[in-house]
Structures are given as structure tokens and as C-alpha cells.
Amino acid sequence: CALHGVERNKSASHPGLFAEHGVDARETAAADLGLLSHADHLVGSWGSTFTILIQSLIANRFLQRDAATRGEAPTVVYCELDGCLRPLPLIANWHISLQNFPQVDLWV
């Protein structure tokens, strides 16, 4: 197990400009996506487009591996302030829809 991080670029921080995404937007957010795409499991915010992008990258990277070396299938756990859902496999038959945003629908 290894700990990896993304260096925060002070010149790329934009306080107040991207309130929904925090001060580390643009280049740093893209670097976060790249880093997190190497994860095997993800804990993310329910309905977050950032979480959805990352889980798609994780699932794709898993499927690109040789079948013999894949190991355990990746999962996502969605959390909110009042708790977390059970882990959901990223390689499965379920779907998230943001079509009725702010309502987020999950079909399992």
C-alpha cells in the first residue's frame, strides 16, 4: 500500500471563483482526477460529478488490465452528511442519473 498526493499549485488556486469545487480548480482538479483514477476503491459524495468521473476512470483502468492480474473488482461508496450507502461494484449493472438534478437517481 502506498500513499500518493498531488502538489497544490498556489498560482492555480482561485478562492471564491469556483465555490462549488473549492480553491483547487483547473490544473489541480485535473491532477486529482489523474491521481484518483489509479485507486482500487473510492469513497465519494453522492451526486458529485467529480465522483462519477473518477469512478468511470477507475472502472476503465481496471478493465484495461490483463484479466489474470486484475484482482478484486473496484467499488464506490457514496456518502452524505447523514451516512453512507453500501459499497457498489464499479463493474456491474447499475446506473446513476443526474437528469432530474438536484435529485440524483440510482438504479440497481
Side-chain angles (χ1 to χ4, degrees), residues 46 74-78 85-92 94 96 106 108:
W46 174 248
T75 60
V76 63
V77 175
Y78 292 113
L85 295 175
R86 65 177 170 82
L88 295 168
L90 292 181
I91 312 300
W94 60 274
I96 283 187
L106 171 68
V108 179

Side-chain angles (χ1 to χ4, degrees), residues 78-89:
Y78 292 113
C79 294
E80 280 298 324
L81 295 176
D82 58 347
C84 298
L85 295 175
R86 65 177 170 82
L88 295 168

Side-chain angles (χ1 to χ4, degrees), residues 16-79:
L17 185 59
F18 300 98
E20 179 184 355
H21 304 294
V23 298
D24 291 319
R26 297 185 179 163
E27 300 89 355
T28 306
D32 284 344
L33 284 171
L35 173 68
L36 291 168
S37 73
H38 292 276
D40 293 314
H41 305 282
L42 176 67
V43 176
S45 300
W46 174 248
S48 162
T49 54
F50 203 75
T51 297
I52 293 170
L53 283 170
I54 295 165
Q55 74 187 41
S56 298
L57 292 169
I58 291 170
N60 182 61
R61 187 174 299 279
F62 176 80
L63 292 174
Q64 297 302 315
R65 292 184 205 151
D66 184 308
T69 62
R70 283 186 185 158
E72 186 180 343
T75 60
V76 63
V77 175
Y78 292 113
C79 294

Side-chain angles (χ1 to χ4, degrees), residues 95-105 107:
H95 175 76
I96 283 187
S97 173
L98 298 174
Q99 185 173 7
N100 298 316
F101 187 81
Q103 175 183 323
V104 180
D105 299 311
W107 290 280

